[in-house]
């Protein structure tokens, strides 16, 4: 799905009236913005934020293009190379590396030298840095964890697990009640990557996990085999919904909404559609992925979404001003609140919304993730390796007996990609 939006003068006038006097920053010309925020809630949030920036800069002509997220991933290199926008969404860490190395992203280290960004976004600087330079700005990050039907847990007499044995014991009771433990849709592969992230980080620790995703460790190692052995325990129990490889993550939501599955390992962006589907906060709750190997410090996935200026952008002055606007404290507070993105602000001067899942996520990431913070499987691994590996992860979930062939194939890919 692809659509074009031009915000109307009437909308700007309304916003100007609510914001007080419009402060024209002297920006002119065209500003073309490409977004991958195609789901309804993030799309509306981004469009409203752009309207507010437009109201501050009435002489700027802003054109916004919204592209379905999966399509965006296949189109980004083409549009960065030819007819590039002035601003584009993407992801932090290794997911931006191919475009940095190809010279397709603008170096914005000058923005990071400004105190308003340097001081207040310091915790995210590492995720935006390659070769000592910064290549974009973050606009949100969010926790992953287990979102579950509290009413189903209460009905079955279950409490939130903290250990692997408790997780499996809960799962068995859920299965005995005629339900699946977890919904998941692996059609687009990355959800299987989330399961591997947590199982591997909890089995072997953050450092080993990062060694694996950066090519330093072997997929055929004993450590990796232990991770898959733990995963297979759940698969052999029948913990996951059937035919998950045919569903997107959104298409897997109804299994949880209808009570056919009790939980979903997912990012906090799943909360809004679950609420929209009719689940109340009395029915929904969240817990941190359990300990597997005693003594392994807990590490978390907390992916960071970003804005970048393409190297071929035509209006880099306006683009830089837009990036400053995005990361400002008030904008960060607003776009990340529970009614909008429902995620966590990146600016230290922003406020965390009084939403129970954001509060729990902020507390978890702030106080109970001593092992480290990962970006996510397909962001921490190079894109080519991530694709091959996630295909293998999906295959394992469907055909676990193929493990030896899968691991051998992934090691061959490792030797080719990281050579």
């Amino acid at each position: 799905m692809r659509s074009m939006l031009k915000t109307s003068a009437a909308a700007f006038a309304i916003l100007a009236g609510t914001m007080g006097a419009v402060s024209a920053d002297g920006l002119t010309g065209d500003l073309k913005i490409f977004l991958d925020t195609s789901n309804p809630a993030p799309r509306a949030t981004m469009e409203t934020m752009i309207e507010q920036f437009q109201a501050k800069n009435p002489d700027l002509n802003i054109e916004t293009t919204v592209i379905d997220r999966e399509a965006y991933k296949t189109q980004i290199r083409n549009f960065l190379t030819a007819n590039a926008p002035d601003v584009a969404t993407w992801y932090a860490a290794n997911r931006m590396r191919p475009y940095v190395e190809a010279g397709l992203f603008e170096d914005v280290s000058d923005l990071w030298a400004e105190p308003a960004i340097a001081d207040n976004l310091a915790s995210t600087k590492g995720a935006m840095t390659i070769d000592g330079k910064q290549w974009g700005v973050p606009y949100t990050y969010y926790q992953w964890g287990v979102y579950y039907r509290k009413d189903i847990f209460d009905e079955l007499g279950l409490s939130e697990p903290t250990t692997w044995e408790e997780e499996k014991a809960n799962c068995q009771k859920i299965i005995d009640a005629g339900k699946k433990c977890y919904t998941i849709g692996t059609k687009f592969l990355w959800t299987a990557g989330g399961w591997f992230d947590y199982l591997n980080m909890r089995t072997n620790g953050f450092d080993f996990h990062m060694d694996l995703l950066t090519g330093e460790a072997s997929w055929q190692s004993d450590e990796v085999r232990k991770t898959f052995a733990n995963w297979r325990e759940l698969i052999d129990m029948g913990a996951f919904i059937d035919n998950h490889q045919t569903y997107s993550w959104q298409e897997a939501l109804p299994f949880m909404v209808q009570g056919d599955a009790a939980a979903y390992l997912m990012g906090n962006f799943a909360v809004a559609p679950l609420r929209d589907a009719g689940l109340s906060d009395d029915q929904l709750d969240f817990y941190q992925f359990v300990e597997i190997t005693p003594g392994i410090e807990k590490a978390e996935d907390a992916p960071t979404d970003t804005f970048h200026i393409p190297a071929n952008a035509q209006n880099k002055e306006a683009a830089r001003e837009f990036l400053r606007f995005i990361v400002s404290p008030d904008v960060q507070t607003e776009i990340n609140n529970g009614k909008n993105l429902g995620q966590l602000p990146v600016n230290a001067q922003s406020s965390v919304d009084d939403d129970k899942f954001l509060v729990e996520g902020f507390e978890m990431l702030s106080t109970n993730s001593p092992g480290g913070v990962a970006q996510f499987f397909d962001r921490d691994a190079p894109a080519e390796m991530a694709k091959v590996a996630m295909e293998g992860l999906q295959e394992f979930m469907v055909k676990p007996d193929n493990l030896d062939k899968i691991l051998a194939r992934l090691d061959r890919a490792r030797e080719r990609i990281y050579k």
Side-chain angles (χ1 to χ4, degrees), residues 197-211:
D197 278 351
Y198 274 97
L199 289 164
N200 197 42
M201 288 192 293
R202 293 294 191 268
T203 301
N204 298 306
F206 178 83
D207 290 343
F208 177 83
H209 184 66
M210 296 310 297
D211 284 347

Side-chain angles (χ1 to χ4, degrees), residues 101 165 214 246 310 367 396:
E101 294 180 344
E165 294 307 317
T214 56
T246 67
T367 66
F396 171 75

Side-chain angles (χ1 to χ4, degrees), residues 17-225:
T18 60
M19 293 170 62
V22 174
S23 59
D25 294 330
L27 298 177
T28 60
D30 297 331
L31 181 67
K32 296 181 180 181
I33 302 172
F34 277 20
L35 304 174
D36 67 349
T37 52
S38 54
N39 289 324
R43 174 176 179 156
T45 299
M46 292 294 102
E47 290 178 349
T48 299
M49 179 187 71
I50 291 168
E51 289 175 351
Q52 292 172 344
F53 184 72
Q54 173 78 80
K56 290 172 62 65
N57 300 279
D59 295 328
L60 195 62
N61 178 44
I62 301 178
E63 295 184 4
T64 303
T65 301
V66 183
I67 304 173
D68 176 81
R69 178 161 285 200
E70 296 305 320
Y72 194 102
K73 293 175 182 177
T74 64
Q75 295 176 21
I76 181 171
R77 183 174 288 273
N78 289 337
F79 70 64
L80 289 177
T81 303
N83 196 27
D86 300 295
V87 177
T89 51
W90 194 237
Y91 314 112
N94 271 326
R95 284 300 296 275
M96 67 179 183
R97 182 178 291 276
Y99 309 110
V100 170
E101 294 180 344
L104 296 174
F105 278 162
E106 174 88 350
D107 175 3
V108 294
S109 300
D110 55 311
L111 294 181
W112 285 86
E114 298 172 4
I117 292 179
D119 296 342
N120 295 321
L121 275 67
S123 64
T124 63
K125 185 176 182 179
M128 303 308 305
T129 301
I130 293 177
D131 296 333
K133 300 176 182 179
Q134 290 73 53
W135 302 93
V137 298
Y139 67 90
T140 189
Y141 77 114
Y142 52 89
Q143 81 270 16
W144 269 64
V146 182
Y147 294 83
Y148 71 99
R149 286 286 301 271
K150 187 176 186 302
D151 53 338
I152 292 176
F153 271 47
D154 291 345
E155 177 186 337
L156 298 177
L158 306 179
S159 57
E160 292 185 0
T162 59
T163 68
W164 187 234
E165 294 307 317
E166 290 173 356
E167 181 81 31
K168 291 184 292 182
N170 276 2
C171 186
Q172 188 60 59
K173 291 180 181 178
I174 293 166
I175 292 170
D176 291 344
K179 304 178 186 295
K180 294 293 186 179
C181 306
Y182 317 105
T183 190
I184 185 174
T186 64
K187 181 178 180 179
F188 295 114
L189 305 178
W190 55 267
T191 49
W195 268 95
F196 182 83
D197 278 351
Y198 274 97
L199 289 164
N200 197 42
M201 288 192 293
R202 293 294 191 268
T203 301
N204 298 306
F206 178 83
D207 290 343
F208 177 83
H209 184 66
M210 296 310 297
D211 284 347
L212 182 67
L213 297 192
T214 56
E216 298 298 320
S218 169
W219 281 91
Q220 298 184 86
S221 65
D222 291 342
E223 291 89 345
V224 171
R225 289 183 180 278

